[in-house]
């Protein structure tokens, strides 16, 4: 695996998309930046992190054995890998806030962004972006943010955490390649934030409603039990969990 360590870049995901296309990359590539000037989150949001104190990196990997309809399993696998590493570091109450945020209690400690590379109508590769709060302890205009250091009081070497994450990612990639999708999905659902508890959501038209998270569909939609025992599925553009 090739690892490119950079001081400053706009976005590790954007950078990887450019170089993987220019180089027609066939091997795994990791791009790790100490600072991102335009870090990206889900749905066009930004990811802000203090320079040199957190892990911001992206991984390029060929995934020809996974179809477009199965790509959400990669996001579930990545979420579980981060959860596993945080648990090993003694972070308590780690949960996945659908679809791609990692929380400890009610505070966000990590965000994940996966982008697909489609060629000739088929899934050719995926770019996984991770923003993990490691040693930062203060934030401006970012409510409910936390870090590994904030939770443990321990200052960690970023490279050590990166190595742990990459090792765990490989474990889940092996599960994906073996077709163990149901195992991944069950584990992901077991760690969903607010699962089986009443929660308030806001729809795209601004209306609020209460639902109970029951799981996710194979394509990544959130399955909610609502009034009158009606079960509905929603994608990311349709609802937002309020907490």
């Amino acid at each position: 695996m090739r690892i490119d360590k950079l001081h400053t870049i706009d976005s590790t995901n954007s950078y990887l998309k450019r170089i993987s296309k220019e180089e027609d990359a066939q091997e795994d590539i990791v791009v790790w930046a100490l600072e991102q000037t335009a870090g990206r989150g889900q749905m066009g949001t930004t990811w802000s992190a203090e320079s040199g104190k957190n892990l911001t990196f992206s991984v390029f990997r060929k995934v020809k054995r996974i179809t477009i309809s199965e790509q959400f399993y990669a996001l579930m696998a990545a979420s579980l890998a981060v959860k596993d590493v945080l648990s090993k570091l003694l972070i308590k109450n780690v949960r996945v806030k659908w679809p791609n945020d990692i929380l400890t209690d009610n505070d966000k400690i990590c965000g994940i962004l996966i982008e697909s590379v489609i060629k000739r109508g088929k899934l050719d590769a995926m770019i996984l972006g991770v923003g993990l709060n490691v040693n930062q302890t203060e934030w401006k205009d970012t409510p409910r943010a936390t870090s590994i250091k904030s939770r443990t009081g321990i200052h960690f070497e970023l490279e050590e955490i990166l190595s742990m994450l990459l090792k765990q990612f490989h474990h889940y990639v092996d599960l994906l390649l073996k077709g163990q999708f149901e195992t991944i999905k069950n584990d992901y659902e077991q760690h969903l934030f607010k699962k089986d508890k009443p929660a308030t959501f806001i729809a795209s038209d601004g209306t609020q409603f209460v639902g109970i998270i029951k799981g996710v569909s194979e394509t990544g939609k959130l399955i909610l039990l609502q009034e009158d025992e009606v079960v509905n599925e929603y994608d990311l553009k349709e609802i937002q969990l309020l907490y």
Side-chain angles (χ1 to χ4, degrees):
M1 175 183 289
R2 164 183 155 192
I3 300 179
D4 293 351
K5 183 178 179 181
L6 307 173
H7 186 276
T8 305
I9 194 67
D10 53 352
S11 156
T12 54
N13 262 42
S14 298
Y15 178 83
L16 255 184
K17 286 175 72 174
R18 291 195 298 269
I19 66 168
S20 63
K21 185 176 181 180
E22 292 170 359
E23 300 176 7
D24 190 25
Q26 300 297 316
E27 65 173 332
D28 293 353
I29 304 174
V30 177
V31 172
W32 169 24
L34 295 179
E35 180 178 5
Q36 289 187 120
T37 58
R40 295 159 53 201
Q42 194 79 32
M43 296 291 292
T45 59
T46 59
W47 178 266
S48 179
E50 195 171 340
S51 177
K53 292 189 176 183
N54 305 297
L55 266 178
T56 49
F57 68 97
S58 296
V59 180
F60 172 90
R61 184 180 178 90
K62 288 283 190 177
V63 289
K64 291 184 178 180
R65 295 186 188 178
I66 301 173
T67 66
I68 292 176
S69 63
E70 296 168 339
Q71 58 188 322
F72 188 74
Y73 286 97
L75 179 56
M76 288 192 281
S79 300
L80 292 172
V82 174
K83 182 269 299 179
D84 288 351
V85 169
L86 290 175
S87 297
K88 290 178 181 178
L89 296 173
L90 305 181
I91 304 298
K92 298 179 180 179
N93 301 320
V94 181
R95 293 290 182 267
V96 181
K97 178 178 170 288
W98 174 84
N100 66 328
D101 288 340
I102 309 299
L103 308 183
T104 168
D105 295 322
N106 288 337
D107 297 327
K108 182 175 178 178
I109 196 169
C110 180
I112 300 171
L113 175 66
I114 284 189
E115 297 183 87
S116 302
V117 179
I118 309 295
K119 289 187 178 180
R120 301 180 184 90
K122 294 183 178 181
L123 185 62
D124 181 71
M126 302 196 82
I127 297 175
L128 164 68
V130 176
L132 174 62
N133 296 332
V134 180
N135 294 318
Q136 184 172 342
T137 55
E138 296 181 0
W139 289 265
K140 294 181 180 179
D141 304 319
T142 308
R144 291 181 172 170
T146 191
S147 68
I148 297 174
K149 184 175 182 178
S150 294
R151 292 294 167 137
T152 64
I154 301 171
H155 184 95
F156 283 90
E157 293 297 326
L158 298 181
E159 193 164 356
E160 177 186 357
I161 305 296
L162 177 62
S163 178
M164 293 176 67
L165 286 168
L166 293 178
K167 180 179 179 181
Q168 205 63 20
F169 286 153
H170 279 303
H171 166 71
Y172 280 100
V173 167
D174 286 342
L175 292 183
L176 286 171
L177 295 179
K178 291 176 182 176
Q180 295 188 25
F181 297 135
E182 197 64 26
T183 298
I184 292 170
K185 184 172 180 290
N186 288 340
D187 197 1
Y188 178 87
E189 290 180 328
Q190 287 178 14
H191 291 89
L192 270 178
F193 180 64
K194 294 288 187 181
K195 186 174 185 292
D196 294 324
K197 298 178 181 178
T200 302
F201 297 85
I202 183 168
S204 56
D205 62 3
T207 59
Q208 293 188 16
F209 64 93
V210 174
I212 298 176
I213 296 174
K214 304 307 295 182
V216 293
S217 71
E218 293 183 355
T219 56
K221 291 186 176 183
L222 190 66
I223 301 173
L224 293 183
L225 176 65
Q226 295 177 238
E227 292 184 44
D228 300 323
E229 298 298 309
V230 175
V231 176
N232 291 312
E233 297 183 3
Y234 297 91
D235 67 26
L236 185 58
K237 297 178 181 179
E238 295 176 319
I239 60 168
Q240 177 184 355
L241 171 62
L242 301 180
Y243 70 106

